[in-house]
Amino acid sequence: MTVPRYTRLIQSLPASVPFVGPEEQERTRGAPFAARLGANENVFGPSPKAIAAMQAETLEIWKYGDPTSFDLRNALAAHMRVQPQNILVGEGIDGLLGYLVRLLISQGDAVVTSDGAYPTFNYHVTGFGGIIHKVPYNGDHEDPAALFAKAKEVEAKLVYLANPDNPMGTWHAGTVIAQALNELPEDCLLLLDEAYVEFAPEGTAAQVDVEDPRIIRMRTFSKAYGMAGARIGYAVGAEGLIRNFDKIRNHFGMNRMAQTGALAALNDQDWLAQTQAKVSQARDRISRIAGDNGLTILPSATNFVAVDCGADGDFARKVLAALVARGIFVRMPFVAPQDRCIRISCGRPEDLDLLAEALPLALAEARK
Amino acid sequence: MTVPRYTRLIQSLPASVPFVGPEEQERTRGAPFAARLGANENVFGPSPKAIAAMQAETLEIWKYGDPTSFDLRNALAAHMRVQPQNILVGEGIDGLLGYLVRLLISQGDAVVTSDGAYPTFNYHVTGFGGIIHKVPYNGDHEDPAALFAKAKEVEAKLVYLANPDNPMGTWHAGTVIAQALNELPEDCLLLLDEAYVEFAPEGTAAQVDVEDPRIIRMRTFSKAYGMAGARIGYAVGAEGLIRNFDKIRNHFGMNRMAQTGALAALNDQDWLAQTQAKVSQARDRISRIAGDNGLTILPSATNFVAVDCGADGDFARKVLAALVARGIFVRMPFVAPQDRCIRISCGRPEDLDLLAEALPLALAEARK
């Protein structure tokens, strides 16, 4: 007799985790990283006003946070030009992905995503027993037409599309996404992950009717707003869909400092503009560093850059290992042919100085 | 055609939420509460060292938190005299309850709890399709013998027991719990909720082998450590059970400030002792206020006191409404005969001064 008696689904799940954190890598290697450029964190950090707001809120931390995130949700609604009932605040996009999958997917239900797209989405789908169908990238871009055709073929309940994309940093114009929606099966929900959209050119966010029941979008304070450690994301969608999250979500799950900090961050769009400029400069610098080493980069609409190491995945994995060994935390795509690249987050000038030093050595070591 | 296509389970779930937060009540009544004594928050707050640690950590908030909560988990293991692999840190006990239920319960599985015990546990069980079987309180105490007998009768996979209990504040000696375990069915997991145990007399925590596969305990930084808004709790149990949470949990779900603050709070046991003393004084004061109004209290091992209003639930609900109308946020048990009581959290002297003023007026109004 085994106790406890896990569900059959839980017994079938692998023990693997989506990502190993840099702290664990640091403990394994016995030294801290010199540059933290692997998790697409925003090293430029949040608005000083957000920091001040969080520091002040520590004095109120004895209180639970507002389970409706009323103030933040209203501010986000104004920002997104929708109604507050179109917004759900949650524990990062990762948390919201879990809730959304739980709402739609039970054992055997079909889900479509790109091969090599965000692993944590797949983790949640598998965790609720869904069957993942993958389509390849098209020229290092997500391929809306192929995704939606596959969704039709397998009668998918849910399809995942990130715009801009992670891990490649590529993007489609919002009009391309909106146009492709015509091919989305009528009974399929599109999850549009816009985690990086604030870094993208004007017009990347698709203009869609928020009450269109076929689409939900997710955004975050982890990237452009520099608050990854606060765990705060939001979903924007039709009122009926947003309301259904209330059936299952952890109502008192939001950290109070995170709520307050996010509101202050949202209200400091000047800081956001400065961050966007710094990220743009960092992308250019990474491009120059790559070029200095005979490598090319993929154009990026995010706060990271995929650097094409010019050979196959095995070679890129060697380059990555050699960078990590030199204290440069980076990650890379999982799937060929995208795994010919390594993915470098936009660091400060001093972080990229370290990259510039380490990359030629890493390449030489990989070529040995 | 309905889109999105929710699971059958989701379609069957009620739209109700476990608790309405005080902020929503304040917006409805158009004024803030003068005393916040309804959610068993700890108004004495966290250690100043925890506050300082959280404030400093705001500068690191651009980084994701460590998904393994390594430092905190190690400190908790030492504190609990177990191994780090016996500890899981999560998004408050509420979040951990959801994960645990998901590990064990699928549609139709039997779960046992007390009638009137923690509603958020029931919310999660219902949310995963479990069937809840309830046993009544016995003299305003949870009744381990009845819970375990019911678990045997319905072949429950999971049984919930809080010690000390919420909402009554009553408790059993740890030896009573340990003794009762002999009657727990061999294939049933006991979830022992010890959210309030730091307020209880020595010996309230049951001494059980952490590797006993039939028991998991949960504790929190929300109550005695004064950090409800940080959302940080922990589970203590057999290594195999703890490891299984990794199959489904939101690995990067922990707020970074919360992790740092909890570690500092745990390391300041002097502050905890001061809090315990203040809470004890507040319990005595609530007892005197009740006595001054001809009411009696239930002995409490928590940071709240159930005050017996001396009549039925309808009367207690009137008293509660009259207190709320006077700006005193309190809550009360949901189920008869425990709903003859209102539940008052241990406030500061100035909070309890307001209670002392309002209670006679509320009683007079309820008696009209």
Side-chain angles (χ1 to χ4, degrees):
Chain A
M1 188 196 57
T2 315
V3 50
R5 288 180 279 159
Y6 299 106
T7 69
R8 203 172 293 186
L9 174 60
I10 294 296
Q11 292 177 48
S12 76
L13 293 179
S16 66
V17 304
F19 287 108
V20 175
E23 291 81 5
E24 191 164 330
Q25 292 180 256
E26 290 175 330
R27 287 188 292 269
T28 304
R29 64 192 291 271
F33 284 118
R36 186 163 159 135
L37 304 173
N40 300 341
E41 294 159 329
N42 172 358
V43 68
F44 305 111
S47 159
K49 292 175 184 166
I51 290 176
M54 288 187 281
Q55 290 181 342
E57 194 67 28
T58 57
L59 300 177
E60 306 293 320
I61 203 67
W62 62 274
K63 301 174 191 170
Y64 289 101
D66 175 7
T68 70
S69 297
F70 184 86
D71 295 334
L72 179 58
R73 209 161 33 89
N74 275 272
L76 285 168
H79 179 71
M80 298 292 290
R81 300 170 199 269
V82 298
Q83 299 302 309
Q85 52 270 31
N86 296 120
I87 304 265
L88 177 71
V89 171
E91 304 93 333
I93 288 182
D94 281 1
L96 291 167
L97 288 176
Y99 292 139
L100 180 67
V101 170
R102 183 173 161 198
L103 285 178
L104 268 67
I105 303 304
S106 50
Q107 290 192 51
D109 285 337
V111 176
V112 171
T113 185
S114 299
D115 195 14
Y118 193 46
T120 303
F121 175 70
N122 299 2
Y123 167 78
H124 288 304
V125 171
T126 304
F128 285 100
I131 309 296
I132 297 170
H133 301 268
K134 296 176 178 175
V135 303
Y137 279 75
N138 183 354
D140 296 319
H141 285 67
E142 292 236 53
D143 187 342
L147 285 164
F148 299 167
K150 176 61 78 175
K152 190 167 189 174
E153 175 196 330
V154 300
E155 300 181 7
K157 280 180 148 181
L158 181 61
V159 56
Y160 175 92
L161 170 60
N163 190 45
D165 175 60
N166 174 23
M168 304 314 291
T170 53
W171 72 103
H172 293 288
T175 49
V176 172
I177 305 289
Q179 181 74 31
L181 276 179
N182 295 328
E183 303 305 320
L184 183 70
E186 281 195 326
D187 58 355
C188 180
L189 182 71
L190 171 63
L191 162 53
L192 185 59
D193 183 342
E194 296 183 330
Y196 296 95
V197 77
E198 294 89 352
F199 299 116
E202 192 78 23
T204 302
Q207 297 299 314
V208 292
D209 178 357
V210 70
E211 284 295 341
D212 185 333
R214 298 175 307 151
I215 183 166
I216 186 169
R217 56 215 304 171
M218 293 191 184
R219 295 191 179 182
T220 184
F221 286 89
S222 296
K223 304 301 180 186
Y225 292 100
M227 293 173 57
R231 311 316 301 127
I232 188 153
Y234 56 104
V236 188
E239 180 179 351
L241 173 54
I242 295 298
R243 201 186 310 120
N244 267 301
F245 283 83
D246 273 347
K247 291 181 172 181
I248 57 163
R249 72 186 180 93
N250 185 5
H251 286 267
F252 286 84
M254 291 307 304
N255 181 292
R256 194 175 176 99
M257 295 173 287
Q259 289 177 323
T260 304
L263 183 58
L266 186 70
N267 286 336
D268 191 352
Q269 294 287 312
D270 288 346
W271 181 264
L272 176 65
Q274 291 178 46
T275 299
Q276 288 162 330
K278 290 174 190 164
V279 164
S280 176
Q281 288 159 16
R283 287 193 300 233
D284 292 345
R285 176 87 194 280
I286 295 170
S287 174
R288 287 196 302 276
I289 294 169
D292 290 345
N293 287 276
L295 307 181
T296 57
I297 64 145
L298 277 63
S300 168
T302 65
N303 72 330
F304 59 87
V305 178
V307 174
D308 187 335
C309 292
D312 64 4
D314 284 341
F315 180 73
R317 276 183 283 278
K318 284 182 196 164
V319 176
L320 181 128
L323 284 172
V324 166
R326 283 167 177 76
I328 313 290
F329 169 50
V330 288
R331 286 190 178 133
M332 63 179 288
F334 301 106
V335 174
Q338 282 71 43
D339 67 354
R340 70 189 188 283
C341 301
I342 58 172
R343 193 194 68 178
I344 302 174
S345 305
C346 288
R348 295 162 297 189
E350 56 266 40
D351 299 315
L352 299 182
D353 289 346
L354 295 173
L355 174 70
E357 280 174 38
L359 185 58
L361 304 173
L363 284 165
E365 184 172 323
R367 284 175 185 137
K368 264 199 295 215
Chain B
M1 189 196 54
T2 314
V3 50
R5 286 180 280 159
Y6 299 105
T7 69
R8 202 172 297 186
L9 174 60
I10 294 295
Q11 291 177 47
S12 76
L13 292 179
S16 66
V17 304
F19 288 109
V20 174
E23 291 81 5
E24 191 165 328
Q25 292 180 258
E26 289 175 331
R27 288 188 291 270
T28 304
R29 63 192 292 270
F33 284 118
R36 187 163 158 136
L37 304 174
N40 302 341
E41 295 158 330
N42 172 357
V43 68
F44 304 110
S47 158
K49 293 174 184 167
I51 290 176
M54 289 186 281
Q55 289 181 342
E57 194 67 29
T58 57
L59 300 178
E60 307 293 320
I61 203 68
W62 62 274
K63 301 174 190 169
Y64 289 101
D66 175 6
T68 70
S69 297
F70 184 85
D71 294 334
L72 179 58
R73 209 161 33 88
N74 276 272
L76 285 168
H79 179 71
M80 297 292 289
R81 299 170 200 271
V82 298
Q83 298 302 309
Q85 52 269 32
N86 296 121
I87 303 265
L88 177 71
V89 171
E91 304 93 333
I93 288 181
D94 281 2
L96 292 168
L97 288 176
Y99 292 139
L100 179 67
V101 169
R102 183 174 161 198
L103 285 178
L104 269 67
I105 304 303
S106 51
Q107 290 192 50
D109 286 337
V111 176
V112 171
T113 185
S114 299
D115 195 15
Y118 193 45
T120 303
F121 174 70
N122 300 1
Y123 167 78
H124 288 304
V125 172
T126 304
F128 285 100
I131 308 296
I132 297 169
H133 301 267
K134 296 176 179 173
V135 303
Y137 279 74
N138 182 354
D140 296 318
H141 285 68
E142 292 237 54
D143 186 342
L147 285 163
F148 299 168
K150 176 63 77 175
K152 190 167 191 177
E153 176 195 327
V154 300
E155 299 179 6
K157 280 179 146 180
L158 181 61
V159 56
Y160 176 91
L161 169 60
N163 190 45
D165 175 61
N166 173 22
M168 305 314 291
T170 53
W171 72 103
H172 293 287
T175 50
V176 172
I177 305 290
Q179 181 74 33
L181 277 178
N182 295 327
E183 303 304 320
L184 183 71
E186 282 195 325
D187 58 354
C188 180
L189 182 72
L190 171 63
L191 162 54
L192 185 58
D193 183 342
E194 296 184 329
Y196 296 94
V197 76
E198 293 91 351
F199 299 116
E202 192 78 25
T204 301
Q207 297 300 313
V208 292
D209 178 359
V210 71
E211 285 294 342
D212 185 333
R214 297 175 307 151
I215 183 165
I216 186 169
R217 54 216 305 170
M218 294 192 183
R219 295 191 179 183
T220 183
F221 286 89
S222 296
K223 304 301 180 185
Y225 292 100
M227 294 173 56
R231 312 315 303 126
I232 190 154
Y234 57 104
V236 188
E239 180 178 352
L241 173 54
I242 294 298
R243 201 187 310 119
N244 267 301
F245 284 83
D246 273 349
K247 291 181 171 180
I248 58 163
R249 72 186 181 94
N250 186 4
H251 286 266
F252 286 84
M254 289 308 303
N255 181 292
R256 194 174 176 98
M257 296 174 286
Q259 289 177 324
T260 304
L263 183 57
L266 186 68
N267 285 336
D268 192 352
Q269 294 287 313
D270 288 346
W271 181 265
L272 177 65
Q274 291 178 44
T275 299
Q276 289 162 330
K278 289 175 191 164
V279 164
S280 176
Q281 289 159 15
R283 286 194 299 234
D284 292 345
R285 175 88 194 280
I286 294 170
S287 175
R288 287 197 302 277
I289 293 169
D292 291 346
N293 286 275
L295 307 181
T296 56
I297 64 146
L298 276 64
S300 167
T302 65
N303 73 330
F304 60 87
V305 178
V307 174
D308 187 335
C309 292
D312 63 4
D314 283 342
F315 181 72
R317 276 182 283 279
K318 283 182 196 164
V319 176
L320 181 129
L323 283 173
V324 166
R326 284 167 176 76
I328 313 290
F329 169 50
V330 288
R331 286 190 179 135
M332 63 180 288
F334 299 107
V335 173
Q338 282 72 41
D339 69 354
R340 71 188 189 282
C341 299
I342 58 172
R343 194 194 67 179
I344 302 174
S345 304
C346 288
R348 295 162 299 190
E350 56 266 40
D351 299 315
L352 299 182
D353 289 346
L354 295 172
L355 174 70
E357 278 175 39
L359 186 57
L361 303 172
L363 285 165
E365 185 172 321
R367 285 176 184 138
K368 264 199 294 213

